[in-house]
Amino acid sequence: MTKEQKSITRRDFLNQVGKVGGAVAVFGAMESLGFLASPVMANTSSYRAPAKSDLSSSGKTGKRVIILGAGIAGMTAAYELGKAGYDCHILEARGRTGGRNWTVRNGTQETEIGGIKQTATFDKGLYFNAGPARIPQHHITIDYCKELGVPLEVFCNANEFSYYYQEKVGGLADQKIRKQAIKADTRGFVSELLAKAVNKSALDQELTKEDMEKLMDYLKREGDLSSDYTYKGSSRRGYKELPGAGLQPGTIDTPYTPSALLQSGMMNNLSSDYSFTQQPMMFQPVGGMDQIPKALERQLPGKITFEAKVLEIRQSSNGTRIVYNVKGKVKELTGDYCICTIPLPVLKSIPADFTPEMKKAIASIQYATTGKIGIQFKSRFWEQEDRILGGITTTNMDISQIWYPSSDFLTQKGIVVGYYNFGQNAVDVGNRSLAQRQSHALAQGGKIHKQYADEFETSFSLAWHKIKYSQGGWAEYSASDLKNYYPILNQPQGRIYLAGEHLSYMTGWMAGAFESARTAVSQIHEKVLKESGPVPSKAG
């Protein structure tokens, strides 16, 4: 055993167990370490460790937990603690659940910081996911959708028939180009270059003759090279005229030159195809992303106070006290513990009984500046004329991305995400009036889709850094932040525990909120059980 292994404390070990396996894993680890009395010693022969994601058998603890925020993390914490008999109550500043999981529909109202007000006028049945909009297959979000009964459908994240559009850059500037063409040409020319290197014996010292023969065979297939190992284009990149019946073999497009590809920089976007998180096929709830918080909310009847703005977060040696304002009246709520899921840019302005180190950590973390606009069109021209069904068009313009809907294909109308931008682009566009944001999105998108102007009906836009009670899209940790502040944020402050996507390495994803909530639940449950021991289940 190394010196580092010897120095880890049992509490450190349990914290790590909780992060990986949740409260259930902590149960077993604590019993192994002797923190809990055995069933025989405690005369609890009928006691059993709860199954994964089911703490109901641990009995009624009688402990009250105040949870700040009815987003994914807050409601998940209340849902999981409720299984173990905790008395949970959530204070939510908004008039709805979900937090940044926000689906905009007809009648949705929002007033941004600075006073910009808008009301969505989308057609009934149409919606715009203003926050998260896709779920990777490996995220715990999938498991909660199954447990909560939220039906899913495929989200088309990568569509080779969508476009790249580079404005004023290189030989391919100001052209909308199918992604499959750029990918095919890039693979072709890179394979050709490597094949030439192999033929010139440049790799003699690295590979055997048999290896090189196999490599040349692979490169020929990978790049769709001709018999002389040159790239001349192929059907992979698409057709100028599509093949058809009879005497219509189709006409293959001429490939772009290597120089034009390099100057355009479009191939730099191909790396996203290999991302563990950004998979080609992802998922979304049927009917909008807010189906997830709605499903959680249904599990918590009477447990949420809406329009409750937190004014103070206080604690003593034996409890917590939250001062809040609800509809003009100042009230207090007391409990044994508190789980705070308030985003850090908002939390830093709330008086709280935190250590100076924690206050500094909270104030030091920057959140992403990001914006979106949902645009309703009277027809789905991108499907009918461009033959794009789902997927994302990528551009170097300040709109950054155009997202096509992955549901209700071939119906009459639809909502396109007209921009999803970040950083300074989001700040600049977000500083415009609503009318200016709309006209800008239509003008920029119109360079790719000429139908924008004629087919436009209505829009709803937002700048997340201007949304009250959020003030940003997600936490953005630098390497220095992860070293100096992240560990502090993950440590409980007496009886107060933080949770949210910012308490995970999956910032910006709902999975981070789910996982962090489970960690906080495990930590509280561990502490309560350590102090009182397990409560036996009822006989029979």
Side-chain angles (χ1 to χ4, degrees):
M1 184 178 287
T2 65
K3 181 177 180 180
E4 289 76 9
Q5 288 173 318
K6 289 180 180 178
S7 64
I8 188 170
T9 66
R10 292 188 293 181
R11 178 169 293 278
D12 290 335
F13 171 71
L14 287 170
N15 283 339
Q16 293 305 313
V17 170
K19 290 177 182 178
V20 175
V24 177
V26 172
F27 250 97
M30 289 178 69
E31 191 167 61
S32 299
L33 291 172
F35 282 167
L36 300 180
S38 68
V40 175
M41 292 175 61
N43 192 26
T44 57
S45 58
S46 63
Y47 174 79
R48 65 176 178 84
K52 184 177 181 181
S53 193
D54 178 8
L55 303 178
S56 59
S57 63
S58 59
K60 300 297 181 182
T61 69
K63 299 295 184 181
R64 190 176 207 202
V65 181
I66 306 170
I67 299 172
L68 308 182
I72 295 298
M75 288 193 292
T76 299
Y79 172 61
E80 294 293 351
L81 285 169
K83 296 175 181 178
Y86 287 82
D87 177 17
C88 298
H89 196 83
I90 303 175
L91 298 178
E92 168 55 48
R94 294 181 171 93
R96 60 171 178 84
T97 59
R100 282 163 286 178
N101 182 321
W102 181 28
T103 300
V104 176
R105 306 174 190 277
N106 182 273
T108 296
Q109 296 182 329
E110 183 65 25
T111 301
E112 292 184 2
I113 296 171
I116 291 181
K117 299 179 181 180
Q118 61 184 318
T119 300
T121 57
F122 296 136
D123 282 8
K124 184 178 180 180
L126 298 181
Y127 61 86
F128 160 48
N129 288 321
R134 50 194 173 182
I135 308 171
Q137 300 177 60
H138 60 282
H139 277 189
I140 194 173
T141 310
I142 298 286
D143 301 305
Y144 272 100
C145 286
K146 180 178 181 180
E147 182 171 334
L148 296 167
V150 178
L152 299 177
E153 62 188 2
V154 169
F155 176 90
C156 180
N157 196 45
N159 184 344
E160 299 303 310
F161 228 51
S162 58
Y163 295 119
Y164 287 128
Y165 182 90
Q166 299 287 84
E167 190 174 48
K168 302 176 183 178
V169 175
L172 303 180
D174 307 321
Q175 302 177 54
K176 61 179 185 181
I177 299 172
R178 302 282 189 186
K179 288 186 174 182
Q180 68 182 49
I182 297 298
K183 179 179 288 187
D185 288 354
T186 299
R187 290 171 64 183
F189 285 122
V190 169
S191 296
E192 179 182 328
L193 287 172
L194 188 50
K196 290 178 179 177
V198 173
N199 274 336
K200 292 182 178 180
S201 302
L203 300 177
D204 283 351
Q205 295 180 345
E206 304 293 334
L207 300 172
T208 66
K209 181 179 179 181
E210 183 180 2
D211 288 340
M212 285 192 285
E213 288 176 353
K214 292 183 179 299
L215 176 60
M216 291 292 285
D217 185 51
Y218 162 74
L219 291 173
K220 187 175 181 179
R221 294 195 308 272
E222 168 67 13
D224 217 359
L225 305 182
S226 62
S227 58
D228 61 352
Y229 296 99
T230 58
Y231 177 67
K232 301 175 182 178
S234 73
S235 59
R236 287 180 178 177
R237 68 184 316 283
Y239 290 80
K240 186 179 298 183
E241 295 179 6
L242 291 172
L247 303 177
Q248 294 179 330
T251 303
I252 296 175
D253 256 347
T254 303
Y256 300 112
T257 66
S259 177
L261 288 172
L262 291 170
Q263 291 300 318
S264 75
M266 291 181 184
M267 74 284 293
N268 293 326
N269 295 294
L270 301 182
S271 60
S272 63
D273 289 356
Y274 304 100
S275 169
F276 182 58
T277 301
Q278 296 288 351
Q279 302 157 345
M281 184 181 75
M282 300 174 78
F283 293 89
Q284 63 183 8
V286 176
M289 194 59 71
D290 63 352
Q291 299 306 305
I292 297 176
K294 285 180 178 179
L296 280 166
E297 184 179 350
R298 286 193 292 271
Q299 301 296 321
L300 304 168
K303 298 292 185 181
I304 306 172
T305 298
F306 292 101
E307 298 181 26
K309 180 181 178 181
V310 174
L311 303 179
E312 298 178 35
I313 303 172
R314 302 301 183 189
Q315 66 175 318
S316 62
S317 60
N318 61 358
T320 61
R321 178 174 59 90
I322 308 301
V323 182
Y324 63 101
N325 185 312
V326 57
K327 298 181 179 178
K329 295 182 179 180
V330 177
K331 298 184 177 182
E332 291 188 1
L333 189 62
T334 59
D336 297 289
Y337 297 93
C338 173
I339 297 177
C340 177
T341 71
I342 298 172
L344 301 182
V346 180
L347 182 59
K348 70 181 180 182
S349 300
I350 299 175
D353 289 338
F354 296 148
T355 64
E357 293 78 13
M358 175 61 89
K359 290 179 179 178
K360 182 178 180 182
I362 291 171
S364 298
I365 306 306
Q366 300 297 312
Y367 271 47
T369 51
T370 180
K372 278 186 176 183
I373 187 170
I375 307 176
Q376 176 180 311
F377 292 102
K378 65 181 71 171
S379 73
R380 298 169 78 105
F381 55 81
W382 57 92
E383 295 177 352
Q384 299 159 9
E385 299 178 41
D386 294 273
R387 314 298 286 184
I388 299 174
L389 282 79
I392 300 170
T393 280
T394 305
T395 176
N396 67 339
M397 295 187 292
D398 57 7
I399 61 173
S400 298
Q401 299 176 358
I402 296 174
W403 289 28
Y404 309 98
S406 289
S407 61
D408 300 322
F409 295 116
L410 307 181
T411 53
Q412 180 59 38
K413 296 184 179 183
I415 293 177
V416 164
V417 176
Y419 63 71
Y420 183 19
N421 51 19
F422 317 91
Q424 193 58 47
N425 286 339
V427 173
D428 293 342
V429 175
N431 283 338
R432 300 174 184 232
S433 68
L434 295 178
Q436 290 170 336
R437 294 179 194 174
Q438 175 180 289
S439 62
H440 184 70
L442 292 174
Q444 298 292 75
K447 297 174 183 178
I448 301 170
H449 295 290
K450 65 181 185 301
Q451 304 95 327
Y452 261 41
D454 292 336
E455 300 297 319
F456 168 76
E457 286 192 327
T458 185
S459 74
F460 188 100
S461 64
L462 68 149
W464 272 107
H465 45 287
K466 291 188 172 186
I467 298 299
K468 198 174 183 180
Y469 309 124
S470 295
Q471 296 185 30
W474 53 84
E476 290 191 323
Y477 289 104
S478 66
S480 176
D481 292 337
L482 288 173
K483 178 181 178 181
N484 297 318
Y485 300 128
Y486 186 70
I488 296 173
L489 293 169
N490 274 274
Q491 291 300 314
Q493 291 282 290
R495 291 177 172 269
I496 303 172
Y497 297 72
L498 302 190
E501 55 83 26
H502 51 287
L503 273 299
S504 77
Y505 282 89
M506 296 179 286
T507 59
W509 294 98
M510 288 181 290
F514 279 119
E515 294 281 8
S516 72
R518 292 165 65 90
T519 297
V521 166
S522 296
Q523 290 174 330
I524 290 176
H525 207 45
E526 170 201 335
K527 188 170 184 179
V528 171
L529 291 172
K530 182 180 177 182
E531 293 175 349
S532 60
V535 179
S537 62
K538 293 182 180 180

